[in-house]
């Protein structure tokens, strides 16, 4: 048994900067050593610290969650409408409305359950088994039984079971992208690093949930369960509530104001009718019920759901999968997009872009894994065979290489290290494939890459049976081995200062550097060893490698900027690389990149200022991303956040629209997000923003169509009450109009295509009301027109001696005819509709009108409906009068648009 703890451990494991302490001190802090802990000490620590698991969060029960779904202003409106229809004993309408309420609640219940599963996805990342050393014996245990101080053994393919301070490594590389955002596996070492080192630079730590991809290692458990980095992210995620969207905030405010207006008008009308006009309370109550029925927009929740659902379908066709329905519209309100770099803005395919040889700098064309592209000098394409140093450098890169490049189903794929694969692609572009290389230059021996030496070497024999040693690695390590350089005319004396300057200049452009060298010699012994690497090498080239931006992402960023949307890049990568990629994407060009360490030094006020001014943030940890999103939201911005790792999950959940990567994203990121990109492409986000704006436009068009309809009906009823006229519309007839328009006419606007120039507008202000002053004017104008047509026609017919049933039928048909024509007006808020595009651009509008016509004919002429609604048959002349009332609304509405366009008011109103 080994337990060197001299004093009892504290109630919680000691909290320290373990990455900054030497291995020996960490062992002493935890009372452990190479032989591990003893069984008795393990049991004591397990009792004290608990199992190595993430505790599930406290959740509301299913019944409580379901009942809370009814606490929604839209559902209150629908339930209020259901109560009114029940008072009128229209039980079918009541049943339909209540069914819609229940369906909405069920959908919300399911969506909330999906959001909570983000926490389950993080817990699922924990390893289930671990290999430990206890009492000097290696054994495999349940990872939940690990305790601080345990000695854990890691090997390739293992998932790290807890946070470990590494004490021994052999070529250990760990995939940490889920936590750090780094695109390449992290090389591990045991030496202490600076206290302030960010997570991605702590080379002596292995964190819970990450994956060992190469080598072996041993580490001491320094944190388990909730105390791990994964546990910290889990707590952050649990503390963040789901953000409401701009649309829901607007609709909530709109519905509250509308409900107050309806109740106020109803109460005022009831008092005027009973007190001023002397009508009976029962009679006035039924009139007020008719007024309320005409004013409540029963169709709004249903149309909003249909419009959002149509947006979901359109986005799905563009590889954007929506998980949270209101996020469809929220995308259209986005003012800032915070994007991850690797794989979203870039291809996630390391590519050689530059080769620096003695006297020449070669640019390499083509991107990605396809070996297609030219080599050039200052834009002039060259033949690599004419440049001996370049040819030998390409040969060295292909031979001193453990990766594999192959074609599968018309796509080029890689196996192994992405940086090595980039060298194979370069060889393919120059006509020196891996297959030809191994046939002509067979490998005899290998000196593997080790982090402490920072190079890899291979021994080969050429066709003349001569031995060659090729080496690739970090420039500093390779420079020390070289005595000369290969120029156009052969070997030359090494000019190390020139090479260091070129290395500095190339790295400043964000390129990852490798140096290549060779030596025509055989190993000193029977196998290749470090003694063979002490000197005498010829320096061939510096190779600059980078994960290049996606071409479509460059265009999409430009589209976003043109649409007034700021794009910010938040990445775990190094500042130089982030700044270089940002410049190529026109993100933050000419501005510095701010690191996570610098963000930690800022208070909230300074962070808000920096968040708006700076566009590139590097070495960002989960809390940095979360703070940045919060800072932008505090400044009044509507924020979309993209990400793929567990470290992105808190910021994804906090953002107004969280966007997760579908191909390389973790389940935790997907579950925390509102939208998942099936192709991991930033351009898809820009397309989704376009669709989101179209959805919001369509919702506004529906409201501009619906409110005058309800307003016209309400004004007809109010006028009749105030002027002691015969009621032109009965409550049953009002419900018929609302049912027809909501289920047929209004629904067509959900299918409206995006208007031209939709991405040329600036984002709408987040605090903008659903109805601007201009829209209120439009609603009042059309309401008065509809009221004038229906009421005027009704009074005209009564004065002409027409029966009241016939006059009411004409009034009902006048309202519906006006709505049919106004539906055409509503397709464009300001553009003229008298054109082929305006009249036939949305086939659903024509179908809706065609469906509405037979309904009105049945209402007017079918004996069954005449008995229910008190309608009467109309003559051809009377139908012409009805159509005339509809044309009045259409003509004045188009005239008003023309006046607004020609007067220049459109620009001042923000509608241009």
């Amino acid at each position: 048994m080994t337990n060197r703890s001299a004093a009892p451990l504290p109630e919680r494991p000691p909290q320290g900067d373990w990455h900054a302490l030497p291995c020996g001190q960490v062992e002493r802090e935890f009372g452990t050593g190479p032989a591990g802990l003893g069984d008795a000490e393990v049991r004591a620590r397990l009792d004290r610290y608990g199992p190595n698991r993430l505790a599930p969060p406290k959740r509301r029960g299913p019944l409580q969650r379901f009942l809370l779904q009814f606490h929604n202003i839209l559902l209150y409106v629908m339930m209020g409408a259901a109560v009114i229809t029940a008072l009128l004993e229209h039980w079918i309408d009541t049943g339909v409305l209540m069914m819609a309420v229940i369906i909405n609640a069920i959908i919300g219940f399911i969506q909330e359950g999906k959001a909570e599963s983000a926490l389950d996805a993080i817990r699922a990342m924990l390893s289930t088994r671990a290999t430990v050393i206890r009492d000097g014996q290696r054994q495999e245990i349940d990872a939940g039984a690990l305790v601080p101080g345990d000695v854990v053994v890691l090997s390739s393919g293992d998932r790290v079971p807890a946070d470990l301070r590494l004490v021994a490594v052999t070529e250990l590389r760990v995939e940490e992208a889920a936590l750090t955002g780094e695109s390449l596996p992290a090389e591990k070492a045991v030496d202490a690093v600076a206290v302030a080192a960010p997570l991605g630079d702590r080379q002596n730590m292995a964190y819970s949930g990450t994956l060992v991809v190469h080598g072996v290692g041993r580490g001491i458990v320094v944190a388990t369960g909730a105390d791990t980095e994964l546990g910290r992210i889990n707590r952050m995620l649990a503390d963040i509530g789901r953000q409401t969207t701009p649309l829901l905030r607007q609709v909530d405010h709109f519905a509250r104001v509308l409900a107050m207006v309806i109740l106020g008008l109803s109460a005022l009308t009831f008092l005027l009718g009973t007190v001023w006009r002397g009508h009976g309370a029962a009679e006035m109550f039924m009139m007020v019920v008719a007024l309320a029925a005409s004013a409540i927009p029963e169709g709004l929740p249903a149309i909003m759901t249909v419009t959002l659902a149509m947006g979901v379908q359109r986005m799905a066709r563009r590889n954007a999968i929506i998980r949270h329905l209101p996020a469809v519209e929220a995308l259209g309100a986005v003012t800032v997009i915070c994007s991850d770099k690797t794989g979203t803005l870039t291809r996630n395919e390391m590519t050689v872009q530059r080769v620096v040889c003695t006297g020449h700098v070669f640019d390499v064309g083509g991107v990605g894994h396809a070996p297609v592209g030219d080599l050039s000098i200052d834009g002039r394409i060259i033949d690599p065979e004419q440049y001996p140093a370049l040819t030998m450098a390409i040969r060295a890169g292909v031979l001193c290489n453990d990766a594999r490049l192959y074609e599968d189903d018309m796509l080029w794929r890689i196996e192994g290290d992405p940086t090595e694969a980039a060298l194979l692609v370069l060889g393919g572009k120059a006509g020196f494939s891996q297959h030809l290389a191994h046939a002509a230059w067979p490998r005899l021996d290998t000196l593997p890459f080790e982090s402490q030496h920072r190079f890899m070497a291979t021994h080969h024999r050429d066709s003349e049976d001569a031995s060659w040693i090729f080496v690739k690695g970090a420039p500093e390590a390779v420079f020390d081995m070289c005595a000369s350089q290969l120029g156009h005319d052969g070997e030359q004396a090494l000019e190390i200062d020139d090479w260091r300057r070129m290395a500095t200049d190339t790295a400043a452009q964000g390129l990852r550097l490798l140096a290549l060298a060779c030596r025509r010699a055989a190993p000193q012994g029977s196998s290749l060893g470090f003694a063979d690497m002490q000197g005498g090498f010829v320096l061939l080239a510096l190779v600059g490698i980078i994960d290049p931006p996606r071409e479509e992402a460059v265009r999409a960023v430009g589209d976003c900027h043109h649409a007034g949307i700021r794009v910010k890049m938040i990445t775990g990568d190094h500042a130089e690389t982030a700044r270089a990629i940002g410049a190529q994407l026109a993100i933050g060009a000419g501005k510095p990149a701010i690191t996570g360490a610098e963000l930690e030094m800022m208070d909230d006020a300074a962070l808000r200022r920096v968040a708006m001014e700076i566009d590139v943030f590097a070495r960002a940890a989960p809390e940095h991303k979360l703070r940045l999103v919060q800072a932008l939201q505090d400044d009044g911005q509507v924020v979309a956040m993209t990400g793929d790792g567990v470290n992105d999950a808190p910021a994804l959940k906090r953002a107004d629209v969280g966007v997760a990567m579908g191909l390389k994203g973790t389940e935790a990121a997907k579950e925390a997000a509102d939208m998942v990109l099936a192709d991991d492409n930033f351009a898809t986000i820009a397309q989704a923003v376009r669709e989101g704006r179209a959805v919001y436009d369509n919702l506004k068009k529906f409201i501009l169509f619906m409110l005058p309809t309800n307003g016209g009906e309400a004004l007809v009823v109010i006028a009749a009450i105030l002027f002691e006229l015969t009621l032109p519309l009965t409550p049953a007839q009002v419900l018929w109009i609302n049912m027809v328009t909501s289920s047929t006419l209004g629904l067509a606007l959900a299918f409206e295509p995006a208007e031209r120039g939709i991405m040329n507008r600036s984002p709408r202000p987040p605090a903008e009301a659903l109805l601007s002053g201009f829209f209120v004017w439009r609603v009042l104008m059309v309401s008065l027109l509809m009221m004038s047509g229906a009421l005027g026609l009704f009074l005209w017919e009564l004065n002409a001696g027409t029966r009241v049933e016939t006059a009411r039928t004409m009034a009902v048909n006048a309202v519906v005819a006006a709505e049919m024509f106004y539906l055409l007006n509503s397709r464009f808020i300001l553009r003229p509709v008298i054109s082929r595009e305006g009249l036939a651009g949305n086939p659903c509008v024509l179908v809706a009108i065609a469906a509405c016509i037979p309904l009105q004919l049945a209402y007017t002429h079918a004996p069954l409906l005449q008995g229910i609604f008190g309608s009467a048959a109309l003559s051809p002349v009377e139908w012409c009068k009805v159509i005339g009332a509809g044309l009045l609304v259409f003509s004045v509405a188009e005239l008003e648009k023309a006046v607004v366009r020609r007067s220049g008011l459109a620009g001042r109103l923000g509608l241009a």
Side-chain angles (χ1 to χ4, degrees):
M1 171 179 172
T2 300
N3 180 17
R4 303 183 306 195
S5 181
L9 288 173
E11 287 303 313
R12 299 301 306 157
Q15 298 298 311
D17 296 313
W18 306 117
H19 55 278
L21 301 180
C23 298
Q25 186 175 346
V26 176
E27 289 181 347
R28 289 191 295 274
E29 288 276 359
F30 284 96
T32 189
L37 301 173
D39 289 340
E41 183 62 24
V42 168
R43 286 193 295 272
R45 296 189 186 196
L46 194 58
D47 289 341
R48 183 169 299 165
Y49 303 138
N52 177 34
R53 296 191 183 94
L54 297 180
K58 294 181 179 179
R59 294 179 175 175
R60 297 188 296 263
L63 179 60
Q64 184 182 8
R65 282 202 298 121
F66 180 70
L67 292 177
L68 284 174
Q69 302 306 317
F70 293 90
H71 184 57
N72 180 306
I73 189 66
L74 297 179
L75 299 190
Y76 290 153
V77 171
M78 294 180 76
M79 288 186 284
V83 169
I84 292 173
T85 54
L87 290 173
L88 295 170
E89 297 185 357
H90 286 264
W91 303 115
I92 294 177
D93 294 330
T94 303
V96 169
L97 287 167
M98 287 309 299
M99 183 62 68
V101 169
I102 293 170
I103 290 173
N104 271 278
I106 291 172
I107 292 172
F109 177 79
I110 294 171
Q111 289 291 343
E112 185 175 329
K114 286 183 178 180
E116 289 187 350
S117 61
L119 301 173
D120 297 329
I122 288 184
R123 287 192 293 277
M125 290 186 64
L126 295 178
S127 176
T128 57
R129 306 294 293 174
T131 302
V132 299
I133 298 175
R134 288 179 177 172
D135 276 335
Q137 300 295 316
R138 181 182 295 214
Q139 51 186 290
E140 185 175 331
I141 65 169
D142 184 334
L146 283 174
V147 296
D150 259 327
V151 177
V152 174
V153 178
L154 299 175
S155 58
S156 183
D158 288 347
R159 189 170 290 280
V160 180
D163 285 2
L164 309 179
R165 170 60 165 92
L166 298 171
V167 295
V169 298
T170 303
E171 301 179 40
L172 184 65
R173 293 201 288 271
V174 180
E175 173 61 68
E176 297 180 332
L179 282 179
T180 66
E182 286 274 17
S183 56
L184 297 176
E187 300 165 4
K188 293 301 179 180
V190 299
D191 296 333
V193 298
V195 172
L199 201 69
D201 292 339
R202 297 176 188 175
Q203 298 175 341
N204 55 17
M205 298 290 295
Y207 291 103
S208 178
T210 59
L211 184 67
V212 178
V213 295
H214 191 268
V216 295
R218 191 172 73 249
I220 297 171
V221 175
V222 296
T224 59
D227 296 319
T228 63
E229 282 294 319
L230 208 59
R232 188 170 63 86
I233 295 173
N234 189 66
R235 291 196 303 274
M236 291 170 59
L237 194 60
D239 291 339
I240 299 170
R242 173 71 68 183
Q243 297 294 299
T244 185
T245 68
L247 175 67
L248 292 184
R249 292 194 292 269
Q250 289 175 321
V251 170
D252 180 79
H253 177 73
F254 168 73
R256 290 176 188 276
V257 171
L258 187 62
M260 291 174 60
V261 170
I262 291 171
L263 290 174
L265 278 176
S266 299
L268 180 62
T269 303
F270 182 81
L271 290 174
L272 288 175
T274 53
V275 176
W276 182 30
R277 293 298 188 184
H279 293 294
E283 178 188 358
M284 282 307 304
F285 178 74
M286 289 309 298
M287 287 188 172
V288 165
V289 166
L291 171 62
S294 65
I296 289 178
E298 296 97 332
L300 177 59
I303 294 297
M304 192 173 96
T305 301
V306 170
T307 304
L308 293 175
M310 290 302 303
V312 167
Q313 291 184 18
R314 287 196 294 266
M315 289 182 185
R317 290 195 290 269
R318 295 181 178 271
N319 294 315
I321 301 164
I322 299 296
R323 299 185 65 256
H324 187 220
L325 198 60
V328 176
E329 178 280 330
L331 279 162
V334 162
T335 60
V336 177
I337 299 176
C338 298
S339 177
D340 185 28
K341 176 183 74 69
T342 305
T344 308
L345 293 169
T346 65
R347 299 173 61 90
N348 198 20
E349 296 176 346
M350 300 301 287
T351 305
V352 175
Q353 285 196 336
R354 177 166 296 185
V355 181
V356 180
C357 296
T358 302
H360 296 100
V361 177
F362 302 93
D363 294 316
V364 183
V367 294
H369 295 150
V372 178
D374 296 314
L375 282 79
S376 61
I377 299 176
D378 296 329
R380 175 174 54 84
I381 297 175
I382 56 96
D383 178 5
E385 294 293 334
Q386 302 300 315
Y387 298 85
L390 175 62
T391 301
M392 186 59 77
I394 291 172
R395 182 175 298 156
V398 174
L399 293 171
C400 188
N401 201 309
D402 286 333
R404 178 171 169 250
L405 176 70
Y406 62 98
E407 191 174 14
D408 177 33
D409 194 22
M410 304 298 289
L411 294 175
W412 287 93
R413 305 184 186 276
I414 66 167
E415 286 181 1
D417 187 275
T419 303
E420 290 191 321
L423 296 174
L424 296 182
V425 175
L426 173 63
K429 292 175 181 178
F432 190 69
S433 67
Q434 196 173 25
H435 175 73
L436 293 175
H438 289 315
W441 296 70
R443 182 188 296 191
L444 305 178
D445 201 1
T446 302
L447 196 61
F449 179 90
E450 291 186 8
S451 56
Q452 60 266 43
H453 297 112
R454 305 182 68 196
F455 66 81
M456 171 188 176
T458 54
H459 174 210
H460 297 263
R461 182 178 291 116
D462 65 15
S463 58
E464 299 176 357
D465 206 32
S467 287
W468 290 81
I469 300 174
F470 293 103
V471 63
K472 79 169 188 301
E476 301 81 14
V478 176
F479 288 166
D480 290 342
M481 304 176 191
C482 296
S484 61
Q485 61 193 35
L486 185 60
H488 194 67
D489 299 323
E491 287 190 36
Q492 305 169 357
L494 181 65
E495 298 178 4
I496 191 63
D497 290 339
D498 289 343
W499 284 100
R500 285 174 176 156
R501 186 182 67 254
M502 288 186 286
T504 301
D505 292 344
T506 306
Q509 298 176 46
L511 297 174
R512 186 186 196 84
L513 286 182
L514 282 177
L516 299 168
C518 68
R519 180 183 173 197
R520 187 166 183 172
Q524 298 175 19
S526 59
S527 62
L528 191 61
F530 289 107
D532 300 304
M533 313 304 296
Q534 297 306 310
F537 279 82
V538 180
L539 185 58
L540 301 174
L542 285 171
V543 178
I545 304 174
I546 200 168
D547 179 14
R550 294 174 180 262
E551 293 180 4
E552 61 270 28
V554 176
R555 293 191 296 270
V557 169
D559 291 342
C560 288
H561 288 163
H562 195 61
I565 300 171
R566 294 279 297 276
V567 180
K568 298 181 183 293
M569 185 166 68
I570 307 177
T571 176
D573 220 329
H574 293 278
E576 294 80 8
T577 303
R579 188 165 52 241
I581 293 294
Q584 294 182 46
L585 288 158
I587 299 175
K591 298 180 182 178
I594 299 296
T595 65
E598 292 172 297
L599 292 178
E600 288 181 356
M601 306 296 292
M602 300 178 187
D603 59 21
D604 291 343
L607 182 61
R608 278 198 300 273
R609 184 177 65 257
V610 168
M612 290 303 300
E613 294 175 355
I614 301 298
D615 293 331
V616 177
F617 299 89
R619 304 309 269 169
E623 60 270 23
H624 302 146
K625 297 181 180 183
L626 180 59
R627 283 192 71 201
L628 281 168
V629 170
Q630 291 173 326
L632 290 166
Q633 289 174 328
D634 290 343
D635 196 66
Q637 305 299 314
V638 179
V639 182
M641 173 75 196
T642 77
D644 58 1
V646 179
N647 59 328
D648 298 316
L652 289 173
K653 189 175 178 183
R654 171 71 194 193
D656 297 284
V657 185
V659 183
M661 303 299 107
L663 295 177
K664 64 183 181 71
T666 61
E667 287 304 311
K670 294 175 188 176
E671 294 293 348
D674 303 293
M675 182 172 83
V676 177
L677 300 184
D679 57 1
D680 289 11
N681 191 343
F682 183 86
T684 302
I685 303 175
Q687 291 292 340
V689 169
R690 184 178 185 275
E691 292 295 343
R693 290 187 174 189
V695 165
Y696 184 73
D697 273 5
N698 291 348
L699 286 170
K700 284 200 303 185
K701 290 173 183 177
F702 171 74
I703 290 172
L704 279 178
F705 168 76
M706 171 200 68
L707 288 185
T709 300
N710 296 92
E713 297 166 14
L715 288 177
V716 168
V717 175
I718 290 172
I721 293 171
L722 292 181
F723 297 107
E724 293 190 303
L725 304 173
T726 303
L727 199 62
L729 305 172
T730 66
Q733 290 171 339
V734 166
L735 284 174
W736 166 265
I737 295 173
N738 289 349
M739 181 178 67
V740 170
T741 56
S742 295
S743 60
T744 56
L745 296 178
L747 185 61
L749 293 173
F751 298 85
E752 277 292 313
E755 290 195 29
R756 292 196 302 268
I758 196 169
M759 289 297 282
N760 294 333
R761 310 176 193 161
S762 295
R764 71 177 189 272
E768 178 185 78
L770 198 58
L771 288 180
S772 64
F774 173 76
F775 286 173
V776 171
W777 150 253
R778 172 74 63 82
V779 168
L780 289 175
M781 180 194 75
V782 178
S783 297
L784 287 169
L785 286 173
M786 287 189 177
M787 183 269 286
S788 300
L791 185 60
L793 194 57
F794 175 76
L795 294 177
W796 184 9
E797 291 300 318
L798 283 184
N799 288 336
T802 305
R803 290 188 311 127
V804 68
E805 291 82 8
T806 302
R808 280 177 172 165
T809 303
M810 293 182 71
V812 168
N813 280 296
V815 171
V816 174
E819 290 172 3
M820 290 182 188
F821 283 107
Y822 184 56
L823 179 64
L824 295 172
N825 297 121
S826 299
R827 289 203 57 224
F828 304 138
I829 293 174
L830 279 185
R831 287 170 54 201
V833 77
I834 306 176
S835 66
R836 182 174 180 179
E837 180 189 3
L839 296 175
N842 181 359
C844 294
V845 167
L846 301 180
V847 170
I849 292 173
C852 193
I853 290 173
L855 287 174
Q856 282 307 113
L857 289 174
Y859 167 84
T860 305
H861 297 286
L864 177 63
L865 294 182
Q866 287 177 344
I868 296 173
F869 293 101
S871 56
L874 300 182
S875 67
V877 173
E878 290 168 333
W879 274 115
C880 289
K881 294 177 182 178
V882 166
I883 294 171
L887 283 171
L888 169 69
V889 174
F890 179 84
S891 303
V892 176
E894 285 299 298
L895 180 63
E896 181 247 17
K897 288 185 188 180
V899 171
V900 173
R901 288 195 307 273
R902 292 174 185 173
S903 65
L905 286 173
R908 292 197 292 273
L909 293 171
L911 298 171

